[in-house]
Amino acid sequence: MKHAFKQGTNPSAPTLVILHGTGGTENDLLPLANHISAESSVLGVRGNVLENGMPRFFRRLAEGVFDEADLIFRTKELYEFLGTAAVQYGFDRDNLVAVGYSNGANIAGSLLFHYADAFKGAILHHPMVPLRGLKLPDLSGIPVFIAAGENDPICSAAETEELSALLREAGAEVDVHWERHGHRLTSSEADAAAVWFAHMFRAQGG
C-alpha cells in the first residue's frame, strides 16, 4: 500500500496510523497527527481503491452504502499491511493508535470490528457503522474517541450513537465529542482529540 512513515522522537509513544477521507492521501492528516502527539511516529496510508480518481479505502455502492465484500477484503489487506510495516520500520505493532477521518475512520472502525488486536486505541472523526450483524471481538480496555456532528448530513447522530453502543458492548471505552459543523473536521474537535489522547496515553509520553 502507498504510505509514508515519519519517525517520532519518543519510541515509547504510540505510533499513529493516519487514514484519510475520500480523495485524500497518506499525508493529509499529518498536521492532525502532529497536533495530537508531536512525539509519536506516524504511519500514513493511502487507500487502494479509486472512485472517480479519488483514493478510498474500500468501494461503496452509493453515498453511505458500502460494498461489504470489498470492505472485508480491504480491512484484511490493511491489517496485514500494518504488520508488514511494523517489521519494515521497527515500530511496536501492539502500540498503534488509529487516527481516521470519514472513509478512513470507517476502515479503522472495520479493523476494530474484525480484530481485537488491530489497535491500542482509535480516534475516529465522523465515522459510520462499518458493518451490521457482526459479532465484535473483545475490545475490553481499548479507548475510542469519536468526533461527530449533530447535523452531519453523511453520518447522522443516530448512527454515531449506534456505533458507540456497539463498541461499548464489545468492551471498548468510548468517548463521543459532538460538534455542529456538519461533516467537517474542525480545529475544535482536533483539540478535543489531542486532550483525550494525552489523558489516555500520558503514561507512555504520547
Side-chain angles (χ1 to χ4, degrees):
M1 301 185 75
K2 289 184 179 179
H3 65 281
F5 181 75
K6 180 179 78 74
Q7 183 67 52
T9 58
N10 183 351
S12 67
T15 294
L16 303 183
V17 179
I18 53 175
L19 304 163
H20 61 79
T22 299
T25 72
E26 60 272 26
N27 295 309
D28 268 18
L29 298 184
L30 189 56
L32 176 61
N34 289 336
H35 185 62
I36 290 170
S37 179
E39 296 180 329
S40 286
S41 295
V42 181
L43 177 68
V45 186
R46 184 186 299 193
N48 268 348
V49 170
L50 288 178
E51 179 181 278
N52 299 320
M54 298 184 297
R56 281 177 54 84
F57 286 97
F58 56 89
R59 288 195 293 266
R60 59 183 170 184
L61 307 176
E63 182 75 62
V65 183
F66 301 158
D67 181 331
E68 293 189 357
D70 190 61
L71 171 58
I72 292 167
F73 174 79
R74 299 297 176 181
T75 299
K76 183 174 184 288
E77 176 184 60
L78 180 54
Y79 178 81
E80 291 174 350
F81 170 75
L82 293 177
T84 301
V87 174
Q88 180 178 352
Y89 296 108
F91 59 78
D92 183 357
R93 175 64 185 85
D94 296 325
N95 196 21
L96 302 183
V97 173
V99 180
Y101 166 60
S102 194
N103 180 241
N106 293 337
I107 193 74
S110 183
L111 278 159
L112 291 171
F113 270 42
H114 285 89
Y115 302 102
D117 62 346
F119 298 115
K120 190 171 187 177
I123 295 173
L124 309 177
H125 293 273
H126 303 269
M128 298 174 68
V129 176
L131 288 164
R132 290 177 171 86
L134 189 70
K135 179 174 173 52
L136 272 62
D138 182 3
L139 300 177
S140 297
I142 295 179
V144 179
F145 174 90
I146 296 175
E150 294 176 3
N151 58 341
D152 190 329
I154 296 174
C155 175
S156 68
E159 178 128 3
T160 299
E161 297 287 9
E162 181 184 355
L163 175 61
S164 60
L166 289 169
L167 290 169
R168 286 188 181 113
E169 287 168 10
E173 302 169 12
V174 183
D175 290 285
V176 181
H177 172 82
W178 293 100
E179 297 266 340
R180 286 199 59 80
H181 298 283
H183 198 63
R184 215 155 46 83
L185 200 168
T186 66
S187 59
S188 52
E189 68 185 61
D191 288 344
V195 170
W196 176 89
F197 183 92
H199 174 69
M200 289 296 173
F201 299 101
R202 184 181 299 115
Q204 292 183 294

